[in-house]
Amino acid sequence: MTLLTIFLLAIITFTTRYLFLHPGLPVKLGPKVVSFLNFSAPAVLTAIWVPIIFVHDDTLNVNPLDPFVLSATIAVVISAKTKSIYWTVGVSVLVFACMKFFL
Amino acid sequence: MLTKKQAMLKMIQKGVIDMMPLNLAVLPWGILCGSLAIQRDFSVLEALLMPMIVFAGAAQLVATELIAENAPLLTILFTIFIISSRHFLYGLALRQKLKILPLKKRVAIGFVLTDELFALTTDKKALKGKLRLAYGMSAGFSFYFSWLLFNIIGIVAGAYLPDLTTLGLDFAIAVTFIALVIPTITTLPVFVAVCVSGVLSVVLKLMHVELDLVISSIAGMYCGYITLRWKNQHKLNEIVD
């Protein structure tokens, strides 16, 4: 039963990724839609990371000294300054790990 | 001068290197997913098939918990569909570039079209032409094999690991996305899109709205688009005046 479930899940995840790449699908994208879709990367990625930082156990968490909030703030600043993914991830994960470990 | 073959190899290499921080960011999550499957009494084959063919992050984790709880099949499938539905947006955004590819390449790139790969292909020229496609493929598949490897580590170590679900492992993922998004905020419309999507994602999450991710993304995209049109209109008026 679990195996069958896993195969069905695989079909679902693959379909959500592949569907709109299929040329046979009768979808034509006009310039307006393309311009709208250009915002998909920043919008979707932000909608993934912001709740990870600010929502814990179904409650809003905006305490500036919380490990998530403080490390994420540091990450935003470093990313804006350096634009380097390595510096951003390296420093903020280190801060986060230290806070988790020592607090 | 590079020969065609050398150029191709260089691009494949670069794909792997550029994807490396994103690969590493999911290391704790991969181990968590693998070990959770074993701890929830999945067989080794079932635990392996999850990263091999379902190949998802949050969806995989949630599915593992739901299967372990003996949730109704329809509930499991619907939940995973909801979590996975943001990928429709990626497919739409890349449709123009990828629908022209031959079937095998199209299916292959579609299979590895994750948040991470999409984040790496936001450039207008990305995935266009043989070399850029090779770059995307190698980035995408390096992520696939990393994810598989980390899951296997979790599967092997699963019985010996404590319950990892409470460690705040998702921070690594959040911070890679921060590192990918912040440098792209160079114009007002993108800034508006990010702000709207970010605020709404928190509000909808707190309200337990099922399609929170997709709704907040689309709202953010729409506000970005409106801002862009307003800006262009403004410019046009200035020229006319």
Side-chain angles (χ1 to χ4, degrees):
Chain A
M1 185 61 194
T2 303
L3 271 181
L4 174 70
T5 310
I6 292 174
F7 281 112
L8 292 174
L9 290 175
I11 293 172
I12 291 179
T13 52
F14 178 71
T15 307
T16 59
R17 289 177 186 143
Y18 176 75
L19 184 69
F20 285 109
L21 303 182
H22 193 71
L25 205 70
V27 178
K28 274 240 184 301
L29 304 177
K32 281 184 182 173
V33 181
V34 171
S35 160
F36 166 77
L37 286 170
N38 280 340
F39 293 98
S40 54
V44 180
L45 296 176
T46 302
I48 296 175
W49 76 257
V50 174
I52 296 179
I53 304 300
F54 294 107
V55 182
H56 298 157
D57 300 324
D58 289 335
T59 46
L60 181 66
N61 166 42
V62 284
N63 174 10
L65 291 178
D66 171 82
F68 278 88
V69 178
L70 183 71
S71 314
T73 311
I74 293 173
V76 170
V77 173
I78 297 177
S79 180
K81 291 264 178 226
T82 66
K83 302 197 188 310
S84 154
I85 184 165
Y86 288 99
W87 277 108
T88 308
V89 175
V91 174
S92 61
V93 166
L94 197 68
V95 171
F96 182 79
C98 287
M99 287 185 81
K100 274 270 169 190
F101 190 74
F102 291 114
L103 298 179
Chain B
M1 265 302 275
L2 288 173
T3 63
K4 264 189 189 161
K5 208 174 162 192
Q6 281 171 323
M8 193 61 111
L9 278 174
K10 268 245 156 19
M11 285 307 256
I12 290 174
Q13 235 177 23
K14 190 166 158 42
V16 176
I17 292 171
D18 287 357
M19 197 57 136
M20 199 50 82
L22 292 93
N23 291 345
L24 292 176
V26 298
L27 186 148
W29 259 74
I31 295 179
L32 169 68
C33 277
S35 67
L36 189 74
I38 293 301
Q39 286 165 4
R40 298 291 186 270
D41 290 328
F42 278 51
S43 70
V44 173
L45 174 68
E46 291 160 353
L48 267 175
L49 282 174
M50 290 296 272
M52 268 175 93
I53 61 172
V54 179
F55 183 40
Q60 196 179 310
L61 206 64
V62 173
T64 307
E65 293 280 18
L66 287 175
I67 292 172
E69 287 164 18
N70 280 320
L73 181 61
L74 268 180
T75 308
I76 303 175
L77 298 182
F78 183 68
T79 309
I80 275 40
F81 176 78
I82 298 288
I83 300 176
S84 210
S85 53
R86 64 183 183 284
H87 293 105
F88 285 129
L89 288 174
Y90 305 164
L92 269 175
L94 297 173
R95 175 172 174 80
Q96 306 285 53
K97 291 178 191 167
L98 298 183
K99 70 170 184 185
I100 48 172
L101 292 178
L103 180 71
K104 267 188 195 163
K105 286 186 177 173
R106 202 165 3 100
V107 168
I109 199 92
F111 180 67
V112 292
L113 186 51
T114 51
D115 300 321
E116 282 75 7
L117 181 61
F118 185 64
L120 219 62
T121 52
T122 51
D123 193 271
K124 278 209 170 68
K125 288 187 196 151
L127 300 173
K128 274 189 179 167
K130 274 206 169 122
L131 288 176
R132 292 196 195 93
L133 186 66
Y135 170 87
M137 287 276 190
S138 79
F141 277 95
S142 83
F143 187 76
Y144 175 75
F145 287 113
S146 306
W147 180 247
L148 190 58
L149 175 69
F150 303 150
N151 268 264
I152 291 173
I153 296 174
I155 292 169
V156 173
Y160 309 100
L161 291 172
D163 193 334
L164 296 170
T165 41
T166 53
L167 277 181
L169 298 177
D170 39 0
F171 180 75
I173 294 173
V175 85
T176 39
F177 287 179
I178 291 177
L180 290 165
V181 170
I182 300 295
T184 66
I185 309 178
T186 51
T187 63
L188 181 67
V190 178
F191 181 71
V192 171
V194 165
C195 290
V196 171
S197 160
V199 171
L200 212 55
S201 68
V202 169
V203 173
L204 296 181
K205 182 123 213 163
L206 291 170
M207 288 167 58
H208 298 282
V209 175
E210 295 241 38
L211 276 167
D212 53 345
L213 187 51
V214 174
I215 296 173
S216 39
S217 304
I218 290 177
M221 290 160 68
Y222 190 68
C223 292
Y225 169 70
I226 294 292
T227 314
L228 181 70
R229 278 190 48 177
W230 173 81
K231 252 181 83 178
N232 289 344
Q233 198 69 47
H234 221 65
K235 258 191 225 152
L236 214 66
N237 288 344
E238 272 170 25
I239 297 168
V240 174
D241 289 342

